[in-house]
Amino acid sequence: KQEVTQIPAALSVPEGENLVLNCSFTDSAIYNLQWFRQDPGKGLTSLLLIQSSQREQTSGRLNASLDKSSGRSTLYIAASQPGDSATYLCAVIGIRATDSWGKLQFGAGTQVVVTP
Amino acid sequence: SQTIHQWPATLVQPVGSPLSLECTVEGTSNPNLYWYRQAAGRGLQLLFYSVGIGQISSEVPQNLSASRPQDRQFILSSKKLLLSDSGFYLCAWRWNQGAEAFFGQGTRLTVV
């Protein structure tokens, strides 16, 4: 059974510092890995999708890497801003027959606070 | 472009009352549709998914049901709510199994 872990559970940094968020998964048989952002009381906003054949994806200040063999992904947010404060979730989609038509298996998230 | 709508945004219902949450996707056809629940302090749990009209699969046994009466409409229902049904319900869609997933803004359900 796939297990997704996010460390740390919470993170507080001063504005301007780079953020490094970690995600690990136990089963490397995945279609892709997706990073989301969730603001309090809101839905999930997709940040980046990394296909299993890719090593990284970039969008603006965000960069996500994927090492499928070691079961790890890292989300880097450069030059953090107070507006980056949110919970960040990673999720994987497995390719095994038991992985129910694209079910996203989520980590518990990392709560980020960027202080001015 | 594609958009996903969920309503209502918040709902307070008494125990034993019925429930109907609606999700609609615009700008696409034949999407895969999903209902997730996020309980306080817990991760997201997949409740139901659908790959086509009338095709519903349930991930976990529970007090809820889902229906897909139209291609881009997904409804979450209950005949009698329990206190344990409280939570944040999220609808999502994707093109296919390996594609990017997009979520709605969620419905906060409180059962009292």
Side-chain angles (χ1 to χ4, degrees):
Chain A
K1 178 186 175 184
Q2 178 74 270
E3 292 185 4
V4 182
T5 304
Q6 290 187 249
I7 295 174
L11 185 61
S12 181
V13 299
E15 182 177 4
E17 270 199 15
N18 297 332
L19 285 164
V20 180
L21 308 178
N22 297 301
C23 172
S24 62
F25 48 95
T26 55
D27 188 346
S28 62
I30 63 170
Y31 265 115
N32 59 42
L33 183 145
Q34 194 168 354
W35 282 94
F36 295 90
R37 168 185 172 138
Q38 186 175 29
D39 294 293
K42 302 295 185 181
L44 276 64
T45 300
S46 177
L47 297 175
L48 290 167
L49 173 76
I50 311 176
Q51 301 286 355
S52 62
S53 59
Q54 297 176 316
R55 299 284 292 183
E56 67 175 350
Q57 277 284 356
T58 298
S59 176
R61 294 184 295 114
L62 276 60
N63 175 277
S65 65
L66 174 64
D67 184 343
K68 200 172 66 168
S69 61
S70 67
R72 294 179 185 177
S73 177
T74 302
L75 178 66
Y76 301 89
I77 303 178
S80 61
Q81 304 168 359
D84 294 329
S85 298
T87 297
Y88 292 83
L89 297 152
C90 70
V92 298
I93 301 174
I95 61 175
R96 300 194 187 280
T98 53
D99 290 323
S100 306
W101 292 98
K103 174 176 68 176
L104 285 161
Q105 191 73 39
F106 281 89
T110 295
Q111 186 174 11
V112 172
V113 174
V114 181
T115 55
Chain B
S1 63
Q2 300 82 29
T3 56
I4 179 169
H5 302 280
Q6 269 188 258
W7 65 93
T10 60
L11 192 59
V12 180
Q13 292 284 96
V15 169
S17 64
L19 172 74
S20 181
L21 302 181
E22 189 161 343
C23 171
T24 300
V25 181
E26 296 179 355
T28 184
S29 60
N30 198 31
N32 289 356
L33 296 170
Y34 305 84
W35 278 110
Y36 285 83
R37 177 169 60 199
Q38 188 176 35
R42 299 172 63 181
L44 281 88
Q45 179 187 36
L46 177 66
L47 302 176
F48 301 95
Y49 63 93
S50 172
V51 298
I53 296 175
Q55 300 178 59
I56 310 294
S57 295
S58 173
E59 275 293 292
V60 293
Q62 57 208 319
N63 186 42
L64 302 169
S65 62
S67 62
R68 185 170 177 175
Q70 300 180 38
D71 181 43
R72 292 169 292 173
Q73 185 184 32
F74 205 22
I75 297 173
L76 184 69
S77 304
S78 174
K79 292 182 179 179
K80 292 184 178 182
L81 284 169
L82 305 172
L83 287 173
S84 58
D85 292 324
S86 293
F88 192 49
Y89 289 84
L90 290 155
C91 180
W93 79 273
R94 59 163 19 105
W95 288 110
N96 53 51
Q97 188 172 2
E100 187 173 6
F102 299 95
F103 282 76
Q105 286 301 298
T107 295
R108 173 72 59 191
L109 172 66
T110 303
V111 183
V112 296

